[in-house]
Amino acid sequence: MSELLEKLQLVNTYVGYFGIPVDVIGLARRLGIRVFDAPWPDNISGKIQRDEARGGESGFAIFVNEKHPETRKRFTIAHEIAHYVLHEDQIGDGVFDDALYRSGLPEKIEAQANNLAADILMPWSELKQHVGEPVDQLAEMFNVSTQAMAVRLGVFA
């Protein structure tokens, strides 16, 4: 089995086993990644990088803006996990993501990371059990922003 498939299988197993809201820091640890808060300006959301001193077993560490709300931090962590799972070979010395999750990587790569982050935090297997519930209640249940949940459900005001 390829390394990518093994990582994806681990993510799916973890998300399916522990339910919602998904413990993204626990998932990061399971993948061998350590997570830290960072004192950044509001326009920086997160970063994943190789870090011999602070990285986990994988050698990677994720840093998130300590000033952002918890729901934002959770999406940032999931987004950086997605970069590790899908794009480890493109991380290089690190990938900074700004407030719009743009890193300088191609738009397609950022879209892939956003999609996997949504799959991690708001898995369809769990969402389909709550069809018809209000977006704000679902957002609270999954511990994501109302905006993230609305995008996930394709509900636009």
Side-chain angles (χ1 to χ4, degrees), residues 106-153:
E107 198 172 302
K108 178 181 176 182
I109 288 176
E110 287 304 325
Q112 290 171 344
N114 281 337
N115 288 335
L116 183 54
D119 288 342
I120 290 169
L121 293 171
M122 301 168 278
W124 288 117
S125 60
E126 295 292 330
L127 270 174
K128 69 182 179 186
Q129 297 175 38
H130 302 281
V131 172
E133 294 184 31
V135 172
D136 60 335
Q137 287 180 14
L138 289 171
E140 187 175 328
M141 183 184 307
F142 285 78
N143 199 10
V144 298
S145 69
T146 302
Q147 180 184 8
M149 183 58 73
V151 169
R152 181 68 164 164
L153 298 173

Side-chain angles (χ1 to χ4, degrees), residues 49-65:
Q49 69 183 38
R50 282 197 181 278
D51 192 319
E52 289 184 32
R54 293 178 283 185
E57 291 176 21
S58 69
F60 285 89
I62 291 173
F63 299 87
V64 293
N65 192 323

Side-chain angles (χ1 to χ4, degrees), residues 30-71:
R30 190 89 169 107
L31 289 164
I33 303 168
R34 293 187 63 205
V35 178
F36 300 92
D37 282 332
W40 289 329
D42 282 343
N43 66 326
I44 301 294
S45 291
K47 180 180 186 181
I48 184 166
Q49 69 183 38
R50 282 197 181 278
D51 192 319
E52 289 184 32
R54 293 178 283 185
E57 291 176 21
S58 69
F60 285 89
I62 291 173
F63 299 87
V64 293
N65 192 323
E66 67 187 9
K67 296 178 217 152
H68 286 178
E70 180 184 1
T71 55

